[in-house]
Amino acid sequence: MGKHDKLLERILRGMSDADIGFDELRTLLLWLGFEQRIRGSHHLFTKSGVAEKINLQRDDGKAKPYQVRQVRNVIVQYKLGERS
């Protein structure tokens, strides 16, 4: 199991939303096919076929817990990261 798969599993479990690194989450979204645009401290992610836009901000090197929950909801809703 690769590092992206392990992080995806941690996010989907929902047990450590406050302990997810910002750079880890950003890299995972890129791995899932999202495109990133940066506006100041805001990292905006979009993906074709996904209606929601994801907006991340760094909080002392960590992702904000509510933003991790947003990412989890998008991953579950659109079944992202599933292996065939």
Side-chain angles (χ1 to χ4, degrees):
M1 183 183 286
K3 69 178 182 175
H4 296 296
D5 295 315
K6 288 179 184 178
L7 179 59
L8 186 58
E9 185 178 308
R10 278 178 52 208
I11 290 171
L12 291 176
R13 259 191 271 127
M15 302 296 287
S16 60
D17 289 352
D19 197 35
I20 302 293
F22 175 83
D23 289 327
E24 288 179 299
L25 189 57
R26 187 183 67 79
T27 303
L28 177 68
L29 288 171
L30 294 173
W31 181 72
L32 290 171
F34 283 83
E35 293 182 22
Q36 176 182 223
R37 193 176 89 223
I38 301 172
R39 292 282 177 138
S41 64
H42 295 261
H43 293 250
L44 308 168
F45 294 86
T46 57
K47 179 178 171 78
S48 178
V50 175
E52 292 83 355
K53 292 178 175 76
I54 298 173
N55 179 2
L56 300 182
Q57 292 173 279
R58 186 182 307 270
D59 185 18
D60 264 348
K62 300 287 183 186
K64 294 182 179 184
Y66 79 90
Q67 293 171 339
V68 175
R69 286 191 297 274
Q70 276 183 324
V71 170
R72 179 174 41 255
N73 291 339
V74 168
I75 290 171
V76 169
Q77 180 179 350
Y78 293 95
K79 297 177 172 70
L80 303 175
E82 289 185 355
R83 302 288 177 237
S84 302

